[in-house]
């Protein structure tokens, strides 16, 4: 039990630490916007596959269509309303490397938005460990690969907004710790609750992730690479699907 608890936190932290890795590249290296958009599109495809064939499939097996549908929509609504509020507070373009000239970012809102983006993913990681089967490899890879472009794109934008390196990296490191704690929460709390509740939680996390992709990551990918974003997203989706079947 203790080892699984530690592992759930470690997997969640590892997924969040990809933000730090992306931040290093985004802050210190001048990466072409189209390349950033391509990586963002790939990460979006990977997460889309994980939502479809890992989280929602598991939610369906555990609770059936009613629990899947209700949890999925609730998750999407919660994320959308929260994102709408934070966007109005100054976090609208938090994932963009090329910020609009009139963008006035709010550091607290950007940080809060980044936390909200990562919580559904990390809770989902913890949920996949319930039952003693270990973390879902496909979901772990999806979260890690999608967080690298998020940290890369956001940190490049933060640098343009005047953020110092120490402030940027501390932000992402704290978020990585929060994702680790969220994964522990997903693993510890829901394994003692009825199976239908776990099904709703999985679907809720999936709904939040999908809303996040459409609201933030996919627009960034399309804005810089409109002709290739769809193809790259499909490649990411395909690779993630293959991983879900192999492991």
């Amino acid at each position: 039990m203790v080892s699984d608890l530690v592992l759930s936190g470690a997997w969640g932290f590892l997924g969040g630490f990809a933000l730090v890795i992306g931040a290093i590249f985004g802050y210190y290296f001048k990466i072409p916007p189209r390349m950033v958009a391509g990586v963002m599109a790939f990460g979006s495809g990977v997460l889309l596959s994980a939502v479809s064939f890992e989280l929602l499939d598991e939610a369906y097996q555990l609770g059936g269509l009613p629990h899947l549908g209700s949890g999925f929509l609730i998750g999407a609504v919660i994320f959308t309303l929260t994102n709408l509020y934070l966007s109005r507070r100054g976090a609208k373009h938090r994932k963009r490397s090329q910020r609009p000239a009139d963008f006035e970012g709010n550091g607290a809102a950007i940080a809060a938005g980044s936390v909200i983006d990562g919580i559904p993913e990390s809770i989902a990681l913890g949920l996949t460990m319930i039952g003693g089967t270990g973390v879902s490899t496909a979901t772990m890879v999806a979260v890690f690969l999608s967080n690298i472009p998020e940290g890369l794109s956001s940190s490049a934008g933060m640098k343009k907004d005047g953020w110092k390196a120490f402030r940027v990296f501390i932000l992402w490191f704290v978020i990585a710790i929060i994702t680790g704690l969220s994964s522990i929460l997903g693993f510890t709390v829901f394994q003692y609750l009825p199976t239908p509740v776990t099904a709703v939680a999985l679907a809720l996390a999936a709904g939040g992730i999908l809303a996040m992709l459409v609201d933030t990551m996919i627009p960034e990918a399309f804005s810089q690479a409109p002709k290739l974003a769809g193809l790259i997203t499909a490649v990411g989706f395909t690779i993630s699907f293959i991983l879900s079947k192999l492991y």
Side-chain angles (χ1 to χ4, degrees), residues 83 85-95 103-106 108-114 216:
N83 186 57
Y85 171 76
L86 292 173
S87 295
R88 291 177 175 176
R89 303 290 296 179
K92 182 177 181 180
H93 300 292
R94 60 184 179 274
K95 281 186 171 64
F103 174 66
E104 295 182 3
N106 180 294
I110 291 174
S114 299
T216 58

Side-chain angles (χ1 to χ4, degrees), residues 119-246:
I119 284 178
E121 301 171 349
S122 51
I123 289 179
L125 284 175
L127 288 169
T128 63
M129 292 189 63
I130 294 177
T133 57
V135 72
S136 165
T137 302
T139 303
M140 181 64 232
V141 171
V143 171
F144 188 88
L145 291 181
S146 66
N147 278 342
I148 289 179
E150 179 178 344
L152 191 157
S153 181
S154 298
S155 298
M158 289 174 182
K159 183 178 181 180
K160 290 186 177 182
D161 292 341
W163 287 48
K164 300 297 183 183
F166 178 79
R167 186 184 178 194
V168 172
F169 298 139
I170 284 295
L171 168 64
W172 293 122
F173 189 78
V174 170
I175 292 174
I177 294 176
I178 293 174
T179 59
L181 295 175
S182 298
S183 183
I184 291 175
L185 178 67
F187 172 71
T188 56
V189 173
F190 290 99
Q191 68 175 308
Y192 298 110
L193 296 176
T195 300
V197 176
T198 302
V200 171
L202 278 166
L204 192 147
I209 293 171
L210 182 60
M212 180 272 291
L213 287 172
V214 177
D215 284 349
T216 58
M217 288 183 67
I218 292 177
E220 164 64 7
F222 185 79
S223 68
Q224 299 296 330
K227 295 181 179 180
L228 294 176
L231 175 61
I232 298 173
T233 301
V235 171
F237 186 97
T238 303
I239 292 176
S240 181
F241 176 76
I242 293 173
L243 284 175
S244 71
K245 297 304 179 183
L246 292 179

Side-chain angles (χ1 to χ4, degrees), residues 3-24:
S3 60
D4 288 338
L5 181 68
V6 173
L7 278 175
S8 66
W11 286 124
F13 177 79
L14 179 61
F17 193 75
L19 293 166
V20 181
I21 296 174
I24 293 174

